[in-house]
Amino acid sequence: MTRTRIGLVLISLVSLALTACGGGDSDPLSSGDKDGKAIVIGSQEYYSNEIVAEAYAQALEAADIEVERSFKIGQREAYLPEIESGKIDLFPEYTGPLLQVWEPDTKARLSDDVYAELVTAAKAKGLNVLDQSPAADQDSYVVTRAFAEKYGLSTIDDLKKVTEPMTFGANSEAEKRPNGPKGLKDTYGVSVKFTPIEDGGGPLTVKALKDNDIQLAIIYTGDPSIKKNDLVTLEDTKGLFLASNIVPIASDNVDDKAAGIINKVSAAMSTDDLVDLNARSIDEQLPAATIAKDWLDKEGLL
Amino acid sequence: MNLFGEALRWIGDGSHWGGPGGIDTRIVQHLWVTFAAVGIAAVLAIPLGVLIGHTGRGRLVVVALAGAVRAVPTLGLLTLLGLAIGIGVEAPLLALVALAFPSLLAGAYAGIEAADPGAVDAARAVGMSEWQVVTRVEVPLGASVLIGGIRAATLQVVATATLAAYISDTGLGRYLFSGLKSRDYAQMLAGALLVAALALLLDLLMAALQRASSPTQGKVPS
Amino acid sequence: MTWLDTNRAYVLDMLVQHVRLAVPAIAISVLVAIVLGRIAWRWPRAGTVVLGIASLLYSVPALPLLIVIPVLLGIPLRSGLTLVVALAVYGTALLAGTAADAFRSVDPRVREAAEAMGYSRTGLFWKVDLPLAVPVLLSGIRVITVSTVSLVTIGALVGIPSLGNLLTDGFQRDIRAEIVVGVLGTMLLAIALDVLLVVAGALLTPWRERRPRRARATTASAVPAVEGAA
């Protein structure tokens, strides 16, 4: 009796263990790729990026193109290999940061130059770059209003006027990137201490600024918290930051018809739109799908 | 494996030692966070565990509670505490205290409960107070299991203390996150190897301590 | 909890993903740990080595393990399999010592009696050792079930969806309700699986009386792996 039971338990354990190795169609354990025609759309683990990806998905669906959503799949280091290998067909990216991954030593800074270099770099990887959107979501240095007024800061260069030691907070990768403390020293001659905050300029970074734990942070220009918390974005007069427009990266599985639809979506989106969409995500706490649908409706893209 | 070779070379590189972000500094920070977390948790959990083991009261409630705490994802606790407290080492420290708590508690009450009831009765019969029964009989007899709890907690904390780097400039976790984010996997693996080596060292120390405290080896009352 | 109202489908979806990652990992851990525990019990010298390695594996931080496993096995980083293997490594490391204890907990006299009755070696394992090892084994399985369910969340850091996504997404958007739902969801799932295990244990050991106080030996071995590794 007991033996039969234990046997049954073991058999079910084995089969459970095997489900990890086999993997059916909608299995989380396979990587989302199917041999079918569906366009696999990915998004970063970043709410703003997910809204854009959702807009792509709904616009394509409205034209009866089959899509498969593979959203919130981490940061670039996690998903980029899958774009490069063609497992993900369409992904909203950002021109400057992506170019810096593929061409770390690039000298391009302005929007069109960055885009042109990105197209070349992507081609070498067998990927297509669709039209870039006017909407930009860019790294920028911010300080609190109080700090800016105390020292009269409006550009990054003005940081030289600061007489107290400054701590700079950003994701850990910034420590070595050209727009981190090193770049700040090399380009502007300003020295800062660095502390990592792994939330991509999110609420914790804002809190650290307000608590005066840090004085300088990298926050995306598309982040509504800049306006909400009255933070001051310092102007980058010497081109430390690359232009960062939203740009769809596509595999060959995205045909001309689909690419045309996505290009329309990109063209319709402005930076202000993006900030508004992000604000809805944070203030109204709505799911990406709702926010994207409302915006597509408004723009007459559905 | 090529990656392992690169990681070892990364550790061997002299320029990665010394200075504010050097491996030696990170190891000291890592140990500090680990000991602080286990220490704070021990001050809270061990007396509670001893009390439960001694009286046998409230066991079910506390055990259920400890089990629930075990189920709390450390990442979730860390983010909630981070949003509440802000950046720095405080939020990760608190999250690690919560992580260490269940193992310490379980070790303490299991140790006390494991004490030979005969010895406990004998101690009472010779007129020991309850306090003496606990400190002179139950704790020495259960020390090995109790230290086993500390050992398990330390092992968990030393590995998880890497998460401290999520919101502060602390510990070996810095190598993991910056390695992950900049796709420098050699650096990331180097960080992991350092943590594992640290854990192994601590574990050997605790194992020795555990053996030394085994009741058959030390002085046995009664 | 208005957040939960508008995102019910998403939470449910992530819960399902979470289960599909946690359960296979737990199942693999149990199977491998039984084998290792049996080896450690049968050949104590080899056992010391095996259990020592197991406890060392447990000390490797999870995040780099998620990077190393794809390199070693040649699977994509963002594959759920990566996470399942990583969690199975932890689960096995934690459970192997308990499994060895579990076989040690079987009264040698019972085994001798069974041998005298003519049980073969395999028969002895299936009909005597394994069923009698269930109570101690189960205490260990409960521990790894809870810790595995909670560890699945770190997959969110490398793009493997689970309830962990609620933690990272809520963190970025400063929606604390979302983080709380993620934490509570993970805890409830762990508790639910734990209850299932207790019920399964009761069904598997019908000879045991239901006396709550009799759980002493069980709690002692709930101190993970330490006893066996010593």
Side-chain angles (χ1 to χ4, degrees):
Chain A
M1 178 64 187
T2 309
R3 184 188 149 224
T4 338
R5 279 190 189 149
I6 291 196
L8 282 175
V9 168
L10 283 182
I11 288 167
S12 45
L13 278 178
V14 171
S15 50
L16 282 173
L18 285 179
T19 54
C21 312
D25 250 1
S26 64
D27 202 311
L29 307 170
S30 70
S31 287
D33 192 29
K34 286 189 203 165
D35 29 281
K37 278 273 177 232
I39 294 178
V40 180
I41 306 177
S43 94
Q44 292 182 350
E45 171 77 62
Y46 169 38
Y47 61 94
S48 172
N49 190 265
E50 190 190 349
I51 297 170
V52 179
E54 187 62 50
Y56 294 169
Q58 291 184 18
L60 291 175
E61 281 172 337
D64 285 324
I65 296 171
E66 200 189 331
V67 301
E68 190 189 316
R69 290 170 176 78
S70 192
F71 288 175
K72 293 191 192 181
I73 51 176
Q75 305 300 331
R76 202 164 280 118
E77 67 277 354
Y79 65 72
L80 196 56
E82 295 192 38
I83 299 180
E84 289 171 354
S85 71
K87 281 192 171 164
I88 297 172
D89 299 314
L90 184 62
F91 207 107
E93 259 290 358
Y94 304 89
T95 50
L98 182 57
L99 179 62
Q100 270 185 317
V101 173
W102 283 334
E103 302 286 340
D105 302 322
T106 180
K107 295 279 180 290
R109 290 294 179 267
L110 298 173
S111 178
D112 289 340
D113 300 342
V114 172
Y115 180 74
E117 278 199 24
L118 185 66
V119 172
T120 315
K123 199 154 280 165
K125 304 261 175 195
L127 293 167
N128 307 314
V129 180
L130 306 188
D131 294 352
Q132 68 172 341
S133 165
D137 195 0
Q138 185 165 346
D139 285 349
S140 67
Y141 285 157
V142 300
V143 296
T144 59
R145 171 76 59 197
F147 194 75
E149 278 169 4
K150 187 171 172 193
Y151 293 102
L153 310 176
S154 65
T155 69
I156 300 177
D157 207 34
D158 289 339
L159 287 171
K160 280 188 200 138
K161 295 192 269 183
V162 177
T163 49
E164 62 188 279
M166 285 181 286
T167 305
F168 171 46
N171 277 1
S172 55
E173 66 268 30
E175 193 175 13
K176 296 204 181 112
R177 291 257 174 93
N179 57 15
K182 277 201 186 120
L184 190 56
K185 177 103 182 79
D186 294 346
T187 314
Y188 286 98
V190 176
S191 305
V192 289
K193 260 185 71 194
F194 179 78
T195 191
I197 311 174
E198 301 288 347
D199 72 341
L204 194 57
T205 305
V206 173
K207 184 175 161 53
L209 272 176
K210 294 209 295 199
D211 293 348
N212 204 28
D213 286 333
I214 59 174
Q215 288 73 41
L216 182 66
I218 292 185
I219 295 185
Y220 299 119
T221 49
D223 193 328
S225 69
I226 293 181
K227 209 192 284 175
K228 205 162 88 186
N229 296 290
D230 198 21
L231 302 175
V232 176
T233 304
L234 300 178
E235 197 191 331
D236 176 22
T237 48
K238 295 188 183 167
L240 200 54
F241 292 101
L242 281 72
S244 176
N245 293 71
I246 294 181
V247 66
I249 305 297
S251 74
D252 289 335
N253 199 19
V254 178
D255 60 16
D256 288 347
K257 182 186 166 205
I261 295 168
I262 299 302
N263 283 340
K264 260 189 233 158
V265 172
S266 294
M269 193 177 284
S270 69
T271 299
D272 287 343
D273 283 350
L274 190 68
V275 177
D276 288 344
L277 297 177
N278 293 347
R280 291 197 75 193
S281 174
I282 286 175
D283 298 336
E284 299 172 46
Q285 308 191 349
L286 294 168
T290 315
I291 302 172
K293 184 176 181 307
D294 290 351
W295 178 79
L296 289 168
D297 270 337
K298 198 187 83 190
E299 299 290 328
L301 289 165
L302 278 185
Chain B
M1 221 54 248
N2 194 17
L3 192 58
F4 282 94
E6 279 175 48
L8 290 177
R9 239 170 290 137
W10 194 93
I11 296 174
D13 186 337
S15 69
H16 294 138
W17 292 79
I23 295 174
D24 39 351
T25 316
R26 297 275 178 233
I27 289 177
V28 171
Q29 289 170 342
H30 203 92
L31 281 174
W32 182 86
V33 173
T34 303
F35 288 141
V38 175
I40 295 170
V43 168
L44 299 170
I46 291 180
L48 187 63
V50 169
L51 189 73
I52 294 164
H54 181 69
T55 60
R57 273 195 216 140
R59 192 168 162 274
L60 282 179
V61 177
V62 173
V63 172
L65 212 65
V69 172
R70 223 191 266 276
V72 176
T74 307
L75 187 62
L77 199 58
L78 181 66
T79 49
L80 277 178
L81 288 169
L83 287 175
I85 303 175
I87 63 162
V89 82
E90 294 87 351
L93 192 60
L94 277 178
L96 291 171
V97 168
L99 181 73
F101 192 84
S103 296
L104 291 168
L105 187 74
Y109 74 65
I112 299 299
E113 281 186 345
D116 183 356
V120 175
D121 288 343
R124 285 208 181 93
V126 299
M128 280 193 190
S129 69
E130 285 305 299
W131 175 250
Q132 287 172 319
V133 170
V134 171
T135 55
R136 298 201 191 157
V137 182
E138 289 181 331
V139 169
L141 283 179
S144 163
V145 177
L146 197 147
I147 294 175
I150 302 178
R151 189 176 161 196
T154 309
L155 213 58
Q156 272 175 300
V157 170
V158 81
T160 316
T162 49
L163 278 184
Y166 199 63
I167 56 174
S168 73
D169 188 14
T170 307
L172 293 166
R174 286 285 279 115
Y175 299 134
L176 306 191
F177 281 109
S178 55
L180 175 70
K181 293 300 179 68
S182 50
R183 299 215 272 177
D184 179 358
Y185 295 143
Q187 181 190 356
M188 187 175 192
L189 192 59
L193 291 175
L194 288 168
V195 173
L198 208 57
L200 180 67
L201 212 66
L202 287 177
D203 196 48
L204 288 175
L205 275 174
M206 305 285 278
L209 203 63
Q210 200 178 4
R211 261 195 302 278
S213 69
S214 162
T216 48
Q217 217 140 35
K219 71 262 169 229
V220 185
S222 92
Chain C
M1 287 276 151
T2 44
W3 184 86
L4 186 57
D5 285 336
T6 41
N7 292 276
R8 192 151 302 192
Y10 175 60
V11 174
L12 213 62
D13 188 27
M14 289 301 118
L15 180 69
V16 171
Q17 306 279 32
H18 204 107
V19 172
R20 297 177 71 162
L21 292 165
V23 172
I26 295 165
I28 294 173
S29 308
V30 172
L31 291 174
V32 179
I34 288 179
V35 173
L36 292 184
R38 185 72 179 172
I39 290 172
W41 168 82
R42 195 72 173 274
W43 297 283
R45 273 166 165 269
T48 318
V49 177
V50 169
L51 297 179
I53 293 173
S55 90
L56 180 62
L57 279 176
Y58 185 63
S59 66
V60 179
L63 204 52
L65 205 57
L66 292 180
I67 305 294
V68 172
I69 286 173
V71 175
L72 289 179
L73 303 184
I75 46 179
L77 169 64
R78 212 179 57 70
S79 155
L81 191 55
T82 304
L83 187 65
V84 170
V85 172
L87 295 176
V89 167
Y90 282 124
T92 307
L94 209 52
L95 190 57
T98 316
D101 285 347
F103 288 117
R104 255 179 250 132
S105 77
V106 177
D107 190 340
R109 282 168 300 180
V110 175
R111 193 178 293 114
E112 277 159 28
E115 256 174 294
M117 283 165 67
Y119 276 89
S120 69
R121 242 184 203 184
T122 4
L124 205 60
F125 175 76
W126 290 105
K127 295 179 191 167
V128 181
D129 282 340
L130 194 55
L132 289 178
V134 163
V136 175
L137 202 54
L138 191 71
S139 71
I141 298 175
R142 289 177 60 187
V143 170
I144 67 145
T145 297
V146 171
S147 67
T148 303
V149 167
S150 119
L151 259 182
V152 167
T153 53
I154 61 154
L157 293 177
V158 291
I160 302 166
S162 71
L163 288 171
N165 280 31
L166 306 186
L167 308 180
T168 48
D169 184 64
F171 183 47
Q172 288 177 2
R173 293 164 71 190
D174 202 3
I175 305 180
R176 298 192 196 186
E178 183 175 1
I179 306 181
V180 171
V181 169
V183 170
L184 289 181
T186 310
M187 288 175 72
L188 287 177
L189 178 60
I191 292 167
L193 290 178
D194 192 45
V195 169
L196 277 180
L197 283 173
V198 173
V199 171
L203 289 176
L204 285 173
T205 54
W207 62 87
R208 297 219 311 164
E209 294 172 59
R210 305 279 148 74
R211 267 184 306 165
R213 282 283 145 193
R214 197 59 207 95
R216 278 197 161 200
T218 317
T219 45
S221 58
V223 182
V226 169
E227 306 299 308

